[in-house]
Amino acid sequence: MFSKILIANRGEIAVRIIKTCRRMGIATVQVYSEADAGSLAVEMADEAVLIGPAPAAQSYLLADRIVEAVRQTGAQAVHPGFGFLSENAGFARRLRDEGIAFIGPNPEAIDAMGDKITSKKFAAEAGVSTVPGHMGLIDTPEEAVKIAAGIGYPVMIKASAGGGGKGIRVAHSDADMAEGFAAVKAEAMAAFGDDRVFLEKFIVDPRHIEIQVLGDRHGNVVHLFERECSIQRRNQKVIEEAPSPLLDEATRMAMGAQAVALAKAVNYDSAGTVEFVAGQDKSFYFLEMNTRLQVEHPVTELITGVDLVEQMIRSAWGEHLAFRQEDLSINGWAIESRIYAEDPYRGFLPSIGRLVRYEQPEEGPHEDGYTVRNDSGVREGDEISMFYDPMIAKLCSWAPTRDEALDGMARALEDTHLAGLGHNVPFLAAVMDQPRFRSGNIATSYIKDEFPDGFHGLTPSERQTHILIAAAVAMNEIAAEQSGDPSDRTDWTVLIDRQPHGVSLSYDEDEALLLAFTAGGHARLTDIDWRPGLPQFRATLDGEPFTAEVARVADGFSIRHRAARARVRVLTPRLAELYARLPEKQAADTSKLVLSPMPGLVVAIPVSVGQEVKTGETVAIIEAMKMQNILKAERDGVVKAVSARAGDPVAADDVLVEFG
């Protein structure tokens, strides 16, 4: 077995690989850019080598630097993780030529399946059903428009070398195609150094289901069942689960057999994923093959008990697979939520900065019957950089059934607290509570369907209203006692975003807080775990534990339970009457301003002072996290001022263009 492996990646996947190597007794070398000098992966690895500045094109994407680090440290093999050079056949071939093991598939398999255009042609020749489209290279927007007309809208524009949801647009018209084609080529070149683009028919109301395959260098290939990855935003997966709530056993076996046949046809010899687009009728079509470890591999590990990173290492060493297809089975259900540094209340725009606070849920089995796994590459105090993907963690839950796994995930999200930047935990919690998601009736359009106007949180349910009231009055009582000024009052009015809720308090013989609501009903609050200054309020309400995120504000508390958040005030009935008479603060009028929605770099400002602009015309393009964001005019107008130019760094809410 290898004695030392170099990890040519960063973040949570680097940490994940290090953990398996430690268990196997293998030393690790972590390469890092200047931006990652103080990272968790660097701290955990046995050795670390600086390979360049922060931009990936000057560090993680430079094969020469990786090879030099291998030679410098005496590593015998390279694990590329995902992204960066993981699906670069030239890099895999370079390592082989230099006598360095590549912990991934052979370069010929990457060539055959790693390129989306070539893989679709190969799959069609092998008799695998594929989505209709144009697999040839397309050079101009005019050519793209002509081809799209033949396929029929809607059409998906995809970067051939794409991945991670980048380099993808859906066009519904000739105008969409012309604009989207240029944007995809630009994103593809910036992210992958390859601007080739192809087109395929966009299947309406589809589901994204993928099969995990695993092969060795002796011709053996098995599948480890499926993952449902239909909860996506901007074509990037957000929530994954295994198995899929759509598939029956016959469809599962058919997809698995097709994936294995395709892998065997290209002599696949590592972990890989065959992706399918599936209809609600369980029909399925080959989409692409990812010739690497997937981000969502933990859910497969949780239901099969197989460590995929370990199997990749053993395959690269030349070992036979230790199991056959009939040895594998599905045990329970697993859910993965991708926690990103992005603000769901601002259109999910990237939110970079320092992670001032990061409290993670306890990993391992919980007494309520679910198990938590949290793959993270950052710690409290770390910086989330604009140079890389904004993922903070992959939070997973496992339980015997899907409903139990969903309940476990919801509780794990409650126990996750982040501060210092925007994050999508409230949104993930909202999905866990949505009846449609819990029913399993989902599609890749789920987020757009359920949140058509963006995410603004959810209205508190009756139980959540009781949680907000109970947490607020309990904190009010505790704070008053600790300040030496306890109140004997038992009747309060609790304002939840200005809505009054009457409540009477008392205590029983066990010192539990009893609440009687004026609107009807009672509640019993026990196991209170909070003191002034703590950001999380933990307790049990009527026998069910909960965690709420809390903060003191000027005249009350800001409280969030899952996707419901509110300003909560505990007042005497008289003060509550006076509050009701106060006018609400009016938001500033920014209708004539085009503001930067996120920190980033200005790619272009294609308007000038005095220019007449129509609604829908592009007025600015901002790049952040390797994605281009096109800002369009929301009204007709004449440009009064332009406050930025191409190449300028901008912060969130900086004024870019002002209309007269």
Side-chain angles (χ1 to χ4, degrees), residues 202 204-206 230-232 280 427 434 436 441-454:
F202 181 68
V204 178
D205 201 26
S230 297
I231 307 301
Q232 303 179 4
Q280 299 293 341
F427 172 76
Q434 288 280 79
R436 178 183 167 189
N441 178 27
I442 55 180
T444 56
S445 61
Y446 176 90
I447 292 177
K448 184 173 62 176
D449 294 343
E450 296 299 313
F451 304 95
D453 300 319

Side-chain angles (χ1 to χ4, degrees), residues 402-404 406-407 431-440:
R402 185 172 188 265
D403 282 345
E404 290 171 312
L406 291 175
D407 290 341
V431 176
M432 294 303 132
D433 284 341
Q434 288 280 79
R436 178 183 167 189
F437 178 70
R438 296 189 72 95
S439 75

Side-chain angles (χ1 to χ4, degrees), residues 39 216 239 284 319 373 380 407 431 595 654:
S39 68
D216 62 22
I239 296 170
F284 58 89
E319 293 186 9
R373 169 175 167 176
E380 190 168 284
D407 290 341
V431 176
L595 307 177
D654 278 359

Side-chain angles (χ1 to χ4, degrees), residues 49-50 84 210 220 249 267 328 332 348 352 386 404 432 494 554 595:
V49 178
L50 175 66
F84 297 139
E210 59 191 30
N220 302 304
E249 191 61 24
N267 298 313
L328 298 168
F348 297 93
I352 61 177
M386 68 176 286
E404 290 171 312
M432 294 303 132
V494 178
L595 307 177

Side-chain angles (χ1 to χ4, degrees), residues 263-581:
K264 284 185 174 181
V266 294
N267 298 313
Y268 202 82
D269 55 354
S270 188
T273 298
V274 180
E275 301 196 348
F276 294 91
V277 58
Q280 299 293 341
D281 60 355
K282 299 183 180 63
S283 61
F284 58 89
Y285 303 92
F286 171 73
L287 190 60
E288 63 188 32
M289 184 173 188
N290 288 312
T291 56
R292 55 170 169 81
L293 190 68
Q294 290 282 89
V295 174
E296 56 275 16
H297 74 273
V299 293
T300 294
E301 295 183 330
L302 286 167
I303 66 164
T304 62
V306 175
D307 184 324
L308 290 170
V309 173
E310 176 183 346
Q311 295 304 316
M312 292 178 75
I313 293 171
R314 293 191 180 282
S315 175
W317 180 248
E319 293 186 9
H320 287 77
L321 284 178
F323 39 77
R324 298 167 297 176
Q325 189 66 57
E326 54 265 32
D327 299 323
L328 298 168
S329 61
I330 296 173
N331 176 31
W333 212 285
I335 311 288
E336 175 179 291
S337 292
R338 299 191 188 189
I339 299 177
Y340 284 108
E342 59 185 16
D343 191 342
Y345 301 99
R346 293 170 59 92
F348 297 93
L349 293 171
S351 178
I352 61 177
R354 188 166 300 282
L355 200 53
V356 175
R357 189 184 296 274
Y358 182 21
E359 295 186 21
Q360 306 176 45
E362 182 180 349
E363 292 192 82
H366 285 242
E367 60 182 16
D368 290 338
Y370 64 92
T371 296
V372 172
R373 169 175 167 176
N374 194 42
D375 286 17
S376 182
V378 296
R379 302 150 298 183
E380 190 168 284
D382 283 351
E383 189 87 14
I384 304 299
S385 169
M386 68 176 286
F387 294 103
Y388 313 115
D389 187 273
M391 183 184 289
I392 294 172
K394 300 183 308 194
L395 181 62
C396 303
S397 65
W398 175 94
T401 68
R402 185 172 188 265
D403 282 345
E404 290 171 312
L406 291 175
D407 290 341
M409 175 58 70
R411 288 288 296 123
L413 288 166
E414 285 186 25
D415 289 331
T416 301
H417 177 68
L418 303 105
L421 39 70
H423 60 85
N424 67 335
V425 169
F427 172 76
L428 297 169
V431 176
M432 294 303 132
D433 284 341
Q434 288 280 79
R436 178 183 167 189
F437 178 70
R438 296 189 72 95
S439 75
N441 178 27
I442 55 180
T444 56
S445 61
Y446 176 90
I447 292 177
K448 184 173 62 176
D449 294 343
E450 296 299 313
F451 304 95
D453 300 319
F455 178 73
H456 308 290
L458 297 182
T459 301
S461 65
E462 182 179 15
R463 171 170 167 76
Q464 286 179 314
T465 297
H466 290 174
I467 285 174
L468 296 177
I469 294 171
V473 296
M475 288 189 291
N476 191 63
E477 293 279 297
I478 293 170
E481 287 180 10
Q482 292 203 356
S483 68
D485 186 27
S487 171
D488 293 329
R489 176 176 288 278
T490 59
D491 295 325
W492 297 93
T493 297
V494 178
L495 296 186
I496 300 179
D497 288 339
R498 300 177 71 94
Q499 292 299 314
H501 300 267
V503 61
S504 296
L505 309 182
S506 61
Y507 293 88
D508 65 14
E509 63 278 4
D510 297 321
E511 293 300 312
L513 181 60
L514 306 179
L515 301 95
F517 304 105
T518 303
H522 298 78
R524 185 171 186 266
L525 190 69
T526 59
D527 305 319
I528 298 171
D529 178 12
W530 183 82
R531 64 179 184 274
L534 286 183
Q536 290 180 306
F537 179 95
R538 294 181 173 90
T540 299
L541 188 69
D542 292 335
E544 292 187 33
F546 72 89
T547 304
E549 190 173 274
V550 298
R552 277 309 284 261
V553 291
D555 53 356
F557 303 95
S558 174
I559 304 177
R560 178 181 66 81
H561 179 257
R562 300 189 182 181
R565 66 174 184 176
R567 180 78 167 268
V568 185
R569 302 175 175 92
V570 181
L571 306 170
T572 66
R574 176 57 180 159
L575 273 179
E577 290 177 10
L578 296 175
Y579 258 97
R581 300 178 186 178

